[in-house]
mmCIF file of all heavy atoms in Angstrom:
data_model
loop_
_atom_site.group_PDB
_atom_site.id
_atom_site.type_symbol
_atom_site.label_atom_id
_atom_site.label_comp_id
_atom_site.label_asym_id
_atom_site.label_seq_id
_atom_site.Cartn_x
_atom_site.Cartn_y
_atom_site.Cartn_z
ATOM 1 N N THR A 111 139.388 146.290 83.599
ATOM 2 C CA THR A 111 139.250 146.439 85.041
ATOM 3 C C THR A 111 138.245 147.581 85.256
ATOM 4 O O THR A 111 137.770 148.176 84.293
ATOM 5 C CB THR A 111 140.597 146.801 85.697
ATOM 6 O OG1 THR A 111 140.940 148.159 85.336
ATOM 7 C CG2 THR A 111 141.713 145.868 85.260
ATOM 8 N N PRO A 112 137.911 147.916 86.506
ATOM 9 C CA PRO A 112 137.011 149.053 86.720
ATOM 10 C C PRO A 112 137.563 150.380 86.203
ATOM 11 O O PRO A 112 136.792 151.314 85.970
ATOM 12 C CB PRO A 112 136.838 149.079 88.244
ATOM 13 C CG PRO A 112 137.044 147.666 88.668
ATOM 14 C CD PRO A 112 138.141 147.164 87.765
ATOM 15 N N THR A 113 138.879 150.488 85.998
ATOM 16 C CA THR A 113 139.471 151.771 85.620
ATOM 17 C C THR A 113 140.147 151.786 84.262
ATOM 18 O O THR A 113 140.626 152.833 83.823
ATOM 19 C CB THR A 113 140.512 152.206 86.674
ATOM 20 O OG1 THR A 113 141.526 151.190 86.784
ATOM 21 C CG2 THR A 113 139.849 152.410 88.035
ATOM 22 N N SER A 114 140.208 150.637 83.564
ATOM 23 C CA SER A 114 140.878 150.642 82.269
ATOM 24 C C SER A 114 140.308 149.569 81.350
ATOM 25 O O SER A 114 139.804 148.541 81.803
ATOM 26 C CB SER A 114 142.391 150.431 82.428
ATOM 27 O OG SER A 114 142.673 149.104 82.822
ATOM 28 N N VAL A 115 140.411 149.843 80.045
ATOM 29 C CA VAL A 115 140.090 148.865 79.008
ATOM 30 C C VAL A 115 141.318 148.778 78.108
ATOM 31 O O VAL A 115 141.771 149.788 77.567
ATOM 32 C CB VAL A 115 138.855 149.282 78.186
ATOM 33 C CG1 VAL A 115 138.605 148.292 77.058
ATOM 34 C CG2 VAL A 115 137.625 149.392 79.083
ATOM 35 N N ARG A 116 141.862 147.569 77.942
ATOM 36 C CA ARG A 116 143.068 147.386 77.142
ATOM 37 C C ARG A 116 142.704 146.490 75.962
ATOM 38 O O ARG A 116 142.162 145.397 76.148
ATOM 39 C CB ARG A 116 144.175 146.767 77.987
ATOM 40 C CG ARG A 116 144.397 147.530 79.290
ATOM 41 C CD ARG A 116 145.466 146.908 80.163
ATOM 42 N NE ARG A 116 146.793 147.288 79.688
ATOM 43 C CZ ARG A 116 147.925 146.911 80.287
ATOM 44 N NH1 ARG A 116 147.894 146.129 81.349
ATOM 45 N NH2 ARG A 116 149.090 147.303 79.801
ATOM 46 N N VAL A 117 143.002 146.963 74.768
ATOM 47 C CA VAL A 117 142.594 146.249 73.563
ATOM 48 C C VAL A 117 143.807 145.901 72.703
ATOM 49 O O VAL A 117 144.802 146.622 72.674
ATOM 50 C CB VAL A 117 141.591 147.083 72.741
ATOM 51 C CG1 VAL A 117 140.298 147.280 73.528
ATOM 52 C CG2 VAL A 117 142.176 148.426 72.331
ATOM 53 N N HIS A 118 143.680 144.761 72.033
ATOM 54 C CA HIS A 118 144.718 144.277 71.124
ATOM 55 C C HIS A 118 144.012 143.906 69.822
ATOM 56 O O HIS A 118 143.521 142.790 69.670
ATOM 57 C CB HIS A 118 145.413 143.056 71.736
ATOM 58 C CG HIS A 118 146.579 142.549 70.957
ATOM 59 N ND1 HIS A 118 146.462 141.973 69.700
ATOM 60 C CD2 HIS A 118 147.908 142.523 71.249
ATOM 61 C CE1 HIS A 118 147.647 141.608 69.273
ATOM 62 N NE2 HIS A 118 148.551 141.931 70.185
ATOM 63 N N PRO A 119 143.915 144.849 68.862
ATOM 64 C CA PRO A 119 143.190 144.559 67.614
ATOM 65 C C PRO A 119 143.794 143.380 66.856
ATOM 66 O O PRO A 119 145.019 143.202 66.833
ATOM 67 C CB PRO A 119 143.340 145.865 66.822
ATOM 68 C CG PRO A 119 143.677 146.909 67.838
ATOM 69 C CD PRO A 119 144.478 146.204 68.897
ATOM 70 N N MET A 120 142.936 142.575 66.250
ATOM 71 C CA MET A 120 143.387 141.422 65.478
ATOM 72 C C MET A 120 142.466 141.251 64.278
ATOM 73 O O MET A 120 141.242 141.221 64.434
ATOM 74 C CB MET A 120 143.382 140.142 66.322
ATOM 75 C CG MET A 120 144.292 140.183 67.531
ATOM 76 S SD MET A 120 144.195 138.656 68.528
ATOM 77 C CE MET A 120 145.157 137.548 67.489
ATOM 78 N N ALA A 121 143.053 141.126 63.095
ATOM 79 C CA ALA A 121 142.247 140.933 61.887
ATOM 80 C C ALA A 121 141.608 139.551 61.869
ATOM 81 O O ALA A 121 140.494 139.369 61.397
ATOM 82 C CB ALA A 121 143.108 141.128 60.649
ATOM 83 N N ASP A 122 142.328 138.558 62.390
ATOM 84 C CA ASP A 122 141.826 137.177 62.422
ATOM 85 C C ASP A 122 141.779 136.707 63.868
ATOM 86 O O ASP A 122 142.573 135.862 64.280
ATOM 87 C CB ASP A 122 142.745 136.256 61.629
ATOM 88 C CG ASP A 122 142.103 135.805 60.345
ATOM 89 O OD1 ASP A 122 140.879 135.760 60.323
ATOM 90 O OD2 ASP A 122 142.826 135.500 59.380
#
Side-chain angles (χ1 to χ4, degrees):
T111 71
T113 58
S114 71
V115 176
R116 309 178 80 178
V117 295
H118 185 293
M120 299 178 76
D122 251 333

